[in-house]
Amino acid sequence: EKGGYEHFMLKEIHEQPKAIKDTFRGRIVDGCDIVLDDLKITKEQLANIDKIFIVACGTAYHAGIVGKYTIEKFARIPVEVDIASEFRYRNPIINERTLTIVISQSGETADTIAALKEAKSHASRVIAITNVVGSTVSREADDVIYTWAGPEIAVASTKAYTTQLVAIYLIALDLALKKGTITREYAAEICEGLKALPEKIQNFLDNKDEIQKFASEHYNTRDVFYLGRGLDYAVAMEGSLKLKEISYIHSEAYAAGELKHGTLALIEDGTLTIAIATQENLFEKMLSNIREVTTRGGYVLAFVMEGNTQLEGVVGKVIYLPETLEEIAPIMAVVPLQLLAYYMAVDKGCDVDKPRNLAKSVTVE
Ligand code: M6R
């Protein structure tokens, strides 16, 4: 049942190229036309939307943060991302001009269902992104976009996250094309980038030994800091959650620019810091944040795109990601972070697929 893999998590990490392909298949036609049969919102209805909420928990919430950056960039509609357990009790300002997107792998998370109902009760249209056909979330929402990841067994979400990202990119493109805020050429470029991803991820997975080796040298670490800016910050949050939930190593994700507002005090000799730097316009800024860490003796592992050699000799280790359009870089950049968490947990002897205290589906609040 684990298809020759030692754990479901490793199997599911390796299923990502296929899951991603299955999620965009049939939904991109003629270069950039987005066909989401279940996203029935019309141009006219969209013209009346002035605010989007994305609501979810855990990993799905992290996918939502990528959604905020992307929808705002492509469709120029303000997006607020909220944790479902917060949203449902804070009396958020929702009306018929609000569009709500809920994201849930299982479609059965109690807080996310409650958030969906809260949004609907205030006349908001609700789009659900879910992996389970017929789930509660899929039945309650107005529009449903399925991720075609297949069953996810490991408690730590991997392929559900990357396919949620694909769904979000498709929705963002669809909204932006309907609103006319991006050109068809630009949309086609993003679609090409998405289509190229499965093979690139596959290539990376075929060379995962580098990550495994790094994990074997660092699994005894006490704390890990993940840093990024923009989309990389969203990925940092997901990487950090993966590590803590399965390896029980304390980790935190920070927007790199926030370092000097407090966190820098925690960096001491040898503190492992993971820097994700895939965004070109933010690279110089990341570089100075990385220097803030190395100057204090912190050990930095950096993830950059192939071809960018600027960190050689600056950080402890650089791992190169297959070159990917930076707009969709999170789908690529999260893969090594999943692997790193996995191998560190295995090296520590943890029960990777069933981490302590956690359940796959959180159906009670
Ligand atoms: O089924 P859902 O997507 O609604 O689940 C949300 C979270 O419980 C889930 O993503 C959780 O954070 C995972 N254990 C993360 O790996």
Side-chain angles (χ1 to χ4, degrees):
E1 44 167 13
K2 292 184 196 144
Y5 291 97
E6 201 181 331
H7 296 98
F8 281 110
M9 183 179 176
L10 190 62
K11 173 173 179 261
E12 290 161 4
I13 289 173
H14 280 82
E15 283 171 349
Q16 291 180 112
K18 177 176 187 302
I20 289 166
K21 206 182 291 171
D22 288 347
T23 300
F24 67 63
R25 179 180 297 131
R27 288 169 164 175
I28 301 172
V29 296
D30 295 338
C32 75
D33 284 324
I34 306 298
V35 185
L36 291 170
D37 287 336
D38 296 314
L39 187 53
K40 296 174 220 73
I41 190 163
T42 62
K43 264 186 195 174
E44 293 66 35
Q45 287 165 332
L46 192 58
N48 286 319
I49 297 297
D50 53 23
K51 163 91 184 253
I52 296 178
F53 274 115
I54 303 182
V55 191
C57 305
T59 285
Y61 167 73
H62 296 152
I65 296 169
V66 174
K68 171 187 169 69
Y69 282 62
T70 304
I71 295 173
E72 289 190 344
K73 179 179 166 109
F74 290 1
R76 306 305 294 158
I77 305 169
V79 181
E80 196 173 333
V81 196
D82 220 325
I83 292 167
S85 56
E86 288 295 313
F87 182 86
R88 66 181 290 192
Y89 292 120
R90 76 177 167 87
N91 194 13
I93 302 162
I94 313 171
N95 56 41
E96 68 288 347
R97 298 180 69 84
T98 313
L99 178 66
T100 304
I101 303 175
V102 297
I103 311 174
S104 175
Q105 186 283 129
S106 62
E108 302 298 346
T109 300
D111 283 321
T112 308
I113 296 169
L116 184 165
K117 290 183 175 157
E118 170 75 9
K120 275 188 82 171
S121 73
H122 289 90
S124 169
R125 184 181 191 117
V126 178
I127 302 174
I129 300 175
T130 181
N131 195 40
V132 179
V133 176
S135 57
T136 306
V137 155
S138 79
R139 284 184 275 112
E140 300 273 338
D142 298 296
D143 308 283
V144 186
I145 311 295
Y146 285 108
T147 49
W148 297 112
E152 192 182 63
I153 311 290
V155 166
S157 185
T158 54
K159 61 178 181 170
Y161 173 76
T162 41
T163 56
Q164 282 160 359
L165 293 186
V166 172
I168 279 165
Y169 283 108
L170 295 176
I171 293 172
L173 287 170
D174 187 54
L175 298 180
L177 287 167
K178 280 177 179 158
K179 281 198 70 128
T181 45
I182 54 170
T183 62
R184 290 181 59 82
E185 290 69 30
Y186 181 70
E189 203 186 309
I190 301 292
C191 289
E192 275 314 302
L194 284 171
K195 286 183 185 165
L197 269 175
E199 202 185 317
K200 290 183 179 177
I201 294 177
Q202 189 58 55
N203 290 341
F204 190 86
L205 289 172
D206 293 340
N207 294 298
K208 59 182 185 301
D209 307 4
E210 203 182 6
I211 307 272
Q212 189 169 5
K213 181 164 178 289
F214 185 89
S216 71
E217 291 161 356
H218 292 271
Y219 70 91
N220 270 324
T221 190
R222 198 189 53 181
D223 310 289
V224 183
F225 294 97
Y226 289 76
L227 304 179
R229 284 176 178 254
L231 290 172
D232 292 330
Y233 172 43
V235 177
M237 289 186 220
E238 175 56 9
S240 170
L241 177 64
K242 284 292 85 86
L243 186 71
K244 60 188 111 170
E245 72 180 324
I246 60 170
S247 76
Y248 318 141
I249 296 171
H250 165 247
S251 72
E252 307 271 351
Y254 285 95
E258 271 292 292
L259 258 194
K260 56 168 91 59
H261 298 283
T263 319
L264 202 49
L266 294 170
I267 304 292
E268 35 183 84
D269 223 22
T271 305
L272 177 56
T273 304
I274 296 177
I276 305 136
T278 67
Q279 305 293 304
E280 210 182 319
N281 64 328
L282 298 169
F283 187 79
E284 286 302 316
K285 301 288 165 198
M286 272 305 287
L287 182 59
S288 43
N289 297 134
I290 287 169
R291 288 193 197 281
E292 287 165 0
V293 174
T294 54
T295 310
R296 272 108 194 151
Y299 179 93
V300 175
L301 163 64
F303 290 96
V304 296
M305 295 288 187
E306 238 159 43
N308 177 353
T309 54
Q310 294 177 73
L311 293 180
E312 288 292 343
V314 176
V315 300
K317 173 137 184 91
V318 189
I319 292 184
Y320 294 96
L321 303 168
E323 210 181 337
T324 308
L325 276 187
E326 62 179 15
E327 289 90 333
I328 55 171
I331 307 181
M332 183 71 238
V334 76
V335 176
L337 304 184
Q338 298 167 341
L339 287 167
L340 187 65
Y342 172 78
Y343 285 118
M344 283 197 166
V346 169
D347 289 336
K348 284 193 69 178
C350 300
D351 187 351
V352 174
D353 284 338
K354 285 194 170 40
R356 70 185 179 204
N357 309 344
L358 301 177
K360 180 64 186 164
S361 187
V362 184
T363 53
V364 290
E365 65 171 296

